[in-house]
């Protein structure tokens, strides 16, 4: 069975600070990796994804994530956060067919 | 992308009753998914609903408690039966973009259920 672990449940940053959210997964085969984001009052939406190829993937709004296969990790990064990045971030992994989510990280960016 | 709507957006129900949640998609999709997000928890897949076949339930979820209908390629319902306060959650439906790859899903706005 696949599982996802997110290291932080709550993160508080000031604007312009750098962000890194940790994500580790457990799965025995080839995986697709995702970060989903839910802004306050909005639907859950895809932020970025990794299927294959370059392990450094770029998503919307300046976010990027790096797949490190040896560490079973897919950490999310952004060099300089903005107040509008306040949201809940979910790491997810998909193996054969279903999507498994981590518990989410609530990011609060103070202006 | 797909646009998904859910009804109702929220409801407060008494224990022992049932609630049916509707999910409508603006395009035809093969696979629809139902998730539960309990307070402070992550999204947990309840079942996968394919049109024309029985829904496939994940471990810990049974058809008697969460019957699902999938009458066509744009619509599905999830019923939460014989509710208890432990069923208080946000229930979300989603669809998969098969052209993009397994796991890339579009989500509805969710139905916030409170059971008293």
């Amino acid at each position: 069975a696949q599982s996802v672990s997110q290291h932080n449940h709550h993160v508080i940053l000031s604007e312009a600070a750098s962000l890194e959210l940790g994500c580790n997964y457990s799965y025995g085969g080839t995986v697709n990796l995702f970060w989903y984001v839910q802004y306050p009052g909005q639907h859950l939406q895809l932020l970025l994804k990794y299927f294959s190829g370059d392990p450094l993937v770029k998503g919307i709004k300046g976010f990027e994530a790096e797949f490190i296969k040896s560490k079973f990790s897919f950490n999310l990064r952004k060099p300089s956060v903005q107040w509008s990045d306040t949201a809940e971030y979910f790491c997810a992994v998909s193996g054969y067919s279903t999507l498994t989510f981590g518990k989410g990280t609530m990011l609060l960016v103070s202006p | 992308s797909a646009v998904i709507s859910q009804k109702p957006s929220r409801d407060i129900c008494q224990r022992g009753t049932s609630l049916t949640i509707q999910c409508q998609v603006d395009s035809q999709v093969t696979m629809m998914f139902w998730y539960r997000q309990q307070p402070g928890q992550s999204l947990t897949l309840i079942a996968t609903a394919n049109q024309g076949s029985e829904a496939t339930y994940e471990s810990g979820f049974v058809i008697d408690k969460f019957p699902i209908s999938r009458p066509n390629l744009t619509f599905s319902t999830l019923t939460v039966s014989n509710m208890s306060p432990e069923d208080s959650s946000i229930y979300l439906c989603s669809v998969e973009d098969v052209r993009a790859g397994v796991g890339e899903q579009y989500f509805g706005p969710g139905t916030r259920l409170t059971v008293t």
Side-chain angles (χ1 to χ4, degrees):
Chain A
Q2 55 202 37
S3 66
V4 180
S5 174
Q6 291 185 236
H7 305 167
N8 309 97
H9 294 302
H10 292 90
V11 173
I12 301 174
L13 294 173
S14 299
E15 274 194 316
S18 64
L19 169 71
E20 181 160 4
L21 301 182
C23 172
N24 287 92
Y25 68 93
S26 172
Y27 184 69
T30 301
V31 294
N32 296 335
L33 296 160
F34 307 84
W35 278 95
Y36 282 84
V37 61
Q38 188 165 26
Y39 297 102
Q42 296 189 25
H43 301 195
L44 192 65
Q45 60 186 280
L46 182 67
L47 187 61
L48 49 77
K49 62 186 178 184
Y50 172 79
F51 285 173
S52 63
D54 188 344
L56 184 63
V57 293
K58 296 189 184 298
I60 60 173
K61 302 186 180 184
F63 285 90
E64 65 179 31
E66 184 175 14
F67 169 52
I68 302 179
K69 188 174 182 179
S70 61
K71 295 184 178 181
F72 298 92
S73 69
F74 191 57
N75 293 353
L76 180 70
R77 299 194 293 250
K78 185 172 184 178
S80 177
V81 295
Q82 300 173 311
W83 174 78
S84 58
D85 293 324
T86 293
E88 189 157 20
Y89 294 80
F90 294 92
C91 183
V93 58
S94 175
Y96 177 67
S97 62
T98 59
L99 196 57
T100 300
F101 285 86
K103 290 192 174 183
T105 298
M106 185 68 224
L107 171 65
L108 176 63
V109 180
S110 58
Chain B
S1 64
V3 177
I4 303 170
S5 60
Q6 287 184 232
K7 289 181 182 179
S9 58
R10 59 178 64 223
D11 207 342
I12 301 172
C13 301
Q14 292 191 340
R15 70 170 67 212
T17 63
S18 297
L19 176 72
T20 295
I21 302 168
Q22 299 178 7
C23 179
Q24 180 77 50
V25 189
D26 68 343
S27 57
Q28 294 185 335
V29 294
T30 303
M31 298 175 74
M32 295 180 76
F33 304 87
W34 287 98
Y35 290 85
R36 181 175 73 182
Q37 185 176 19
Q38 293 180 301
Q41 300 295 317
S42 184
L43 285 80
T44 301
L45 181 64
I46 297 172
T48 302
N50 291 334
Q51 193 268 335
S53 63
E54 294 279 338
T56 302
Y57 288 82
E58 297 299 305
S59 176
F61 298 96
V62 296
I63 187 171
D64 290 346
K65 175 67 175 178
F66 298 101
I68 288 171
S69 78
R70 182 79 201 274
N72 58 52
L73 290 173
T74 63
F75 187 79
S76 177
T77 67
L78 169 77
T79 298
V80 186
S81 304
N82 188 24
M83 287 183 285
S84 67
E86 291 71 36
D87 295 319
S88 296
S89 288
I90 298 173
Y91 292 86
L92 299 105
C93 70
S94 74
V95 303
E96 190 158 82
D97 184 347
V98 295
R99 295 165 299 178
V102 176
E104 184 163 349
Q105 296 182 9
Y106 301 103
F107 287 83
T111 295
R112 184 179 295 271
L113 171 62
T114 302
V115 184
T116 60

